[in-house]
Amino acid sequence: MTQNTDLKAYYDAVYKKGERDHYTQFRLQQGEMPEEFAAVFALLPWEGKRVMDVGCGTGDMCGMIAAAGATSVTGVDFAQTAIDEAKGKYAAPNLAFICGDVKTVQGTFDVIISNGTLEHMDAPFETLKQLKSMLAPSGSLILTCPNWLNQRGYMLQTLWHLFRAPITLADLHYLTPLDFEEWAKELGMDLEWFTVDHEWGGGMKMVNDFKRRLPNVSRDAGWKVDQERIDGFLKWLETRAVPFKGNAKQEGAVGVYHLKTP
């Protein structure tokens, strides 16, 4: 089974290639902040906070929070290529980047954020316990994670659970708000959650994602599915499923989770 340590080479390759070349156009549109980043940034006033970003990638969130007046921002990632790019893009006296394991980081933090990383961890709950232990009193954990309780998720999870089709390249876990609700109880923390990227969860962004993803899933699973059939399915989604996309709390493609120490 793939483990988190096995993904280092994968992410090194992603960052060498460039995030915008790797991720689909709908995910990182030119000049636009990803919805999950905007949602995380809007959750708190950052001035005076000691912040750590676990899995900081190329440092965009760190740069924003440092510029918003945080006392200190520490970005941590195990991909050296990402850290090198982050250091080249952002420099400030209240900002530092570390390549390595978060367990080696010293100190406590008012806020620890981690965007799109928990699903790659070997033991997500153990990671949460580690992060909680690094919080100052009344601290916050803010995490984002792909959410599967939507049209996109139901279809891809059917392929995974019934046929073990490789629906993602790097995810080790497919998490939902229910997982976070259970973990919050075990951690003794309060939880507020919502989802973003509703168009990706069940709108035309979902259809555009499937145009790229489904042929790759079919190829990697060793299936011989004619492109004509895939096109027919995409047309059905566009004309029949998308018009009934709702706006329920759980229907966005990305969950945003704010765990707070009581």
Side-chain angles (χ1 to χ4, degrees):
M1 179 178 178
T2 302
Q3 293 183 320
N4 181 258
T5 52
D6 300 326
L7 298 175
K8 184 179 186 302
Y10 170 80
Y11 280 106
D12 276 329
V14 167
Y15 293 120
K16 284 178 182 177
K17 180 180 179 182
E19 290 174 283
R20 292 189 179 276
D21 289 333
H22 173 77
Y23 292 110
T24 50
Q25 185 178 2
F26 77 89
R27 186 77 180 97
L28 290 172
Q29 297 184 39
Q30 187 66 36
E32 294 184 7
M33 185 191 308
E35 285 189 41
E36 65 185 284
F37 278 28
V40 168
F41 189 71
L43 278 174
L44 293 174
W46 297 98
E47 188 172 359
K49 298 285 196 307
R50 294 166 298 162
V51 182
M52 178 168 64
D53 183 355
V54 179
C56 66
T58 57
D60 293 339
M61 178 64 73
C62 292
M64 289 164 46
I65 294 173
T71 299
S72 65
V73 182
T74 303
V76 184
D77 202 287
F78 66 10
Q80 185 65 56
T81 48
I83 293 298
D84 290 344
E85 184 171 342
K87 289 180 177 179
K89 290 197 297 184
Y90 302 103
N94 61 342
L95 180 58
F97 292 105
I98 299 171
C99 181
D101 192 318
V102 68
K103 294 177 183 177
T104 66
V105 177
Q106 301 295 312
T108 60
F109 302 88
D110 301 307
V111 186
I112 298 176
I113 63 176
S114 191
N115 295 320
T117 60
L118 205 64
E119 66 273 17
H120 308 312
M121 300 294 181
D122 297 328
F125 182 63
E126 294 303 313
T127 299
L128 287 178
K129 288 197 293 185
Q130 170 70 29
L131 297 182
K132 182 188 177 185
S133 74
M134 303 175 77
L135 284 177
S138 302
S140 290
L141 293 178
I142 301 174
L143 307 113
T144 69
C145 182
N147 170 50
W148 302 90
L149 300 183
N150 44 55
Q151 291 185 31
R152 173 181 178 271
Y154 298 146
M155 287 181 279
L156 290 177
Q157 287 301 305
T158 297
L159 295 179
W160 165 248
H161 283 279
L162 296 185
F163 307 107
R164 284 298 187 258
I167 61 172
T168 64
L169 293 178
D171 291 358
L172 303 182
H173 309 278
Y174 299 109
L175 305 173
T176 75
L178 296 175
D179 295 295
F180 285 87
E181 289 179 353
E182 292 171 359
W183 289 335
K185 289 180 182 178
E186 292 189 57
L187 291 168
M189 301 182 76
D190 297 327
L191 172 66
E192 295 178 358
W193 67 268
F194 57 94
T195 64
V196 295
D197 267 321
H198 280 67
E199 277 295 307
W200 191 20
M204 283 306 299
K205 284 186 179 181
M206 173 190 71
V207 176
N208 290 331
D209 178 32
F210 279 2
K211 286 180 181 177
R212 175 191 62 88
R213 187 179 301 272
L214 292 182
N216 292 342
V217 169
S218 175
R219 177 200 65 210
D220 294 342
W223 301 336
K224 294 183 179 180
V225 180
D226 293 339
Q227 184 63 42
E228 183 178 356
R229 291 190 179 185
I230 294 175
D231 292 341
F233 176 58
L234 294 172
K235 187 65 175 178
W236 183 86
L237 287 177
E238 182 176 348
T239 60
R240 294 295 181 267
V242 170
F244 283 90
K245 175 180 68 69
N247 197 37
K249 181 179 180 181
Q250 81 285 353
E251 289 190 2
V254 177
V256 181
Y257 304 95
H258 187 183
L259 294 102
K260 294 174 281 188
T261 304

